[in-house]
Amino acid sequence: MERSIAALCKEFGLRLTSPRRIIMQVLFDSSDHPDAVELHRRVTAIEPTISLATVYRTVNLLRDKGVLERHTFGDGRARYEAAPREHHDHLINVETGDVIEFQSQEIERLQEEIARRHGFAIVSHKLEIYVRPLKKQKGRDRSGA
């Protein structure tokens, strides 16, 4: 990933400072969508001298350059992920805040069909579905069967 970070910085005309390299490495290695405070916690475990202000400046710069995507997922916190190579949507667990990425060709097809039916072509979109775990009921499985 180190070469990818250097290549990204070169591509976007960014200096590859040590703090920026560490912040980018932590973000790209994250399987979740950390907010700036959580990202700062992870970064300072590697380099304690990196300030929260540096994390905020870096994520804003990387977002502006299209390297990161910013999400709020309904909780008001700005959360980040590396700009995806492939389109995906999100399920957000309202009880835990966990975010699950998924892809569905059926949903994509339906969105295209709906847009066309209304005389539009989709330029871009994002789908966030807020979910709660199904509760098991005595004698019934989660599907209700």
Side-chain angles (χ1 to χ4, degrees), residues 129-144:
I129 303 173
Y130 296 86
V131 297
R132 172 177 292 116
L134 294 172
K135 305 292 185 211
K136 275 196 169 184
Q137 294 180 2
K138 223 177 217 181
R140 298 178 77 181
D141 67 16
R142 288 181 172 222
S143 66

Side-chain angles (χ1 to χ4, degrees), residues 49-65:
T49 64
I50 298 175
S51 71
L52 183 57
T54 297
V55 170
Y56 274 112
R57 279 194 306 273
T58 301
V59 295
N60 286 329
L61 174 67
L62 295 173
R63 186 198 65 219
D64 291 347
K65 294 287 188 178

Side-chain angles (χ1 to χ4, degrees), residues 1-6 16 18-31 39 42-43 46 58 62 68 82:
M1 183 50 118
E2 182 62 38
R3 192 181 339 213
S4 297
I5 290 172
L16 183 56
S18 179
R20 197 172 283 166
R21 181 184 51 76
I22 293 168
I23 292 166
M24 291 173 76
Q25 186 69 54
V26 169
L27 266 168
F28 293 165
D29 288 347
S30 295
S31 60
L39 180 58
R42 295 175 190 179
V43 164
I46 299 167
T58 301
L62 295 173
L68 296 182

